[in-house]
Every structure is written in structure tokens, then in C-alpha cells.
Amino acid sequence: MRRMLEDQEDVFYYLTVMNENYKQPEMPKGVEEGIVKGIYKLDTQGESKNKVKLLGSGTILEQVREAAVKLAEDYDVEAEVYSVTSFNELTRDGIECDRQNMLNPEEDTKVPFITEVLKAGNDGPTIAATDYIKNYADQVRNFVPGTYRVLGTDGFGRSDSRANLRRHFEMDTAYITYAALYELYKAGDLDAKVLSKAMKDLAIDQKKINPLHA
């Protein structure tokens, strides 16, 4: 307040407050730049030849972390968890890099920050989950290396428990887990029988109406 109002600096601050209580994990070392630029690696669950990267933004990060544990413990999948503090900032950076490269073809190619971060991780598919519509996380698709799947809340607004809403919009822990397994199946790294069993174990309803039309 002093810097903005009394000192009249050309800066602004905003505070995002979520209406869901959960324990904040300790900040990993060396992630300060990532927090400001939009993405940082939070942790890794498991160790396996089958690997995925899970992106979470806001309170849905808790479901992403749970999915990582489930993937590691129940399906022998190594899951890296990334906290995305701003898909918007990552998109702006990606577009800026793309423009710079287009206008300066003889200079060194600029690499978007999200591309650098994800390339430094494992080589598995990337799955993103947020409490927003899919387009929010989908806007960085051009800058995500490899396969990218987005889960979100496309559909009509509803008033219910968070657990029921996340199940309805197909982006709770079970669906995040299944989406990761499906991408591994598509890549030829997982047998169809494993995927079918996972669908039953995770109570994924094949006949459920698309939430976009429900």
C-alpha cells in the first residue's frame, strides 16, 4: 500500500483468496523464478519407466498431488507434479518468444519458459487440471512439448459439494489419474486391460453424459 499510494510507484499487487482450506506445502528450494513466471516443479512421486507430468493450478493442485500418489502406488507410474501459478503469464511469454523468433530468424531461438521447465522433466505426456474451463489451461498448448491433455469445468454452473462438482466435470483425482493412464495407453506404454481395470477401480462411468451437455 505504501509503495502504490504514498510512493506512487508504477506497481500493483493482488491477492487471490480461495474458499477452500488445505495445508500449504513447503516451498521447494530454487523455485522463486518459477513462481513469478508461472510454473515450477513441486515434487515427484514414484520411479518407473512409465512417466507423466501433472500440472495443477489453484485448489485443484491437491487433487493433482493425490493423483500422482495413486499413479505411483497403484499403477507403477512416475508422476511429476507442477504448480502453475499463471497460465496467462506463460502464454504471454510464449507468444512473445514466438514473435521474437519470427522477426529475428538469424538470432538464437528464444524458448518459452514453460517449454524449458517441462523439457527439463521426464519425457512422458502432460496432463493439466484446473477449476476453470479447459480453454484456460489449453492456451499454452503450442508451448508444451509432447502430448498434452487438459481437464476443466466446461458446462453449466452448478451449486453442490466440491467433490460432486469435480466428479461431474470429470477433473477430480480419479479422472486425473485415468487421463494420465489413457495417455500412456495411447503412447503404447500401457495395455488396454490395465486401462479397463483402472476404469472400474476409479469408478469411471463410460455412459455418463458429457458435462458440457448435462
Side-chain angles (χ1 to χ4, degrees):
M1 294 293 288
R2 178 185 58 78
R3 292 182 64 191
M4 289 189 294
L5 301 178
E6 294 182 6
D7 298 343
Q8 289 293 296
E9 288 189 43
D10 189 19
V11 298
F12 71 91
Y13 295 86
Y14 68 90
L15 180 65
T16 300
V17 180
M18 302 291 185
N19 60 350
E20 182 173 353
N21 296 325
Y22 61 95
K23 185 178 180 180
Q24 292 286 338
E26 184 176 349
M27 184 176 72
K29 293 181 180 179
V31 301
E32 290 82 358
E33 180 186 26
I35 290 175
V36 173
K37 288 190 173 182
I39 185 173
Y40 66 92
K41 184 178 176 181
L42 182 59
D43 58 29
T44 301
Q45 296 293 334
E47 185 175 350
S48 172
K49 65 176 183 178
N50 290 331
K51 307 174 188 296
V52 297
K53 296 185 285 285
L54 305 180
L55 278 55
S57 184
T59 56
I60 200 68
L61 183 60
E62 287 299 288
Q63 279 66 50
V64 170
R65 298 180 71 199
E66 291 174 6
V69 172
K70 184 172 285 293
L71 284 164
E73 294 183 352
D74 297 347
Y75 300 100
D76 188 29
V77 174
E78 178 182 314
E80 294 179 346
V81 177
Y82 294 81
S83 175
V84 178
T85 55
S86 178
F87 280 105
N88 291 337
E89 279 299 311
L90 294 173
T91 302
R92 293 186 189 103
D93 172 67
I95 292 173
E96 178 65 25
C97 288
D98 183 61
R99 178 180 181 276
Q100 174 70 17
N101 294 335
M102 182 182 70
L103 298 179
N104 301 275
E106 296 185 14
E107 296 185 7
D108 292 340
T109 301
K110 291 190 67 176
V111 181
F113 185 71
I114 186 174
T115 308
E116 288 183 350
V117 171
L118 295 180
K119 277 191 172 181
N122 67 46
D123 58 358
T126 301
I127 294 88
T130 78
D131 282 314
Y132 307 103
I133 62 173
K134 292 177 182 177
N135 278 348
Y136 176 61
D138 200 64
Q139 63 182 310
V140 298
R141 180 174 294 276
N142 287 345
F143 317 118
V144 174
T147 304
Y148 186 47
R149 176 170 292 273
V150 174
L151 306 181
T153 55
D154 293 33
F156 294 96
R158 291 165 181 261
S159 178
D160 205 332
S161 70
R162 290 182 179 86
N164 286 345
L165 287 172
R166 284 168 177 157
R167 168 59 59 150
H168 169 75
F169 287 116
E170 302 174 357
M171 28 77 76
D172 61 0
T173 298
Y175 273 96
I176 296 169
T177 302
Y178 183 77
L181 295 174
Y182 177 67
E183 290 302 327
L184 289 173
Y185 162 74
K186 282 174 55 182
D189 298 326
L190 208 66
D191 189 89
K193 292 181 180 179
V194 176
L195 192 66
S196 295
K197 185 178 185 304
M199 182 178 291
K200 294 179 181 178
D201 293 342
L202 297 168
I204 303 296
D205 183 4
Q206 294 174 292
K207 297 181 180 180
K208 178 177 173 292
I209 297 175
N210 185 336
L212 185 63
H213 309 302

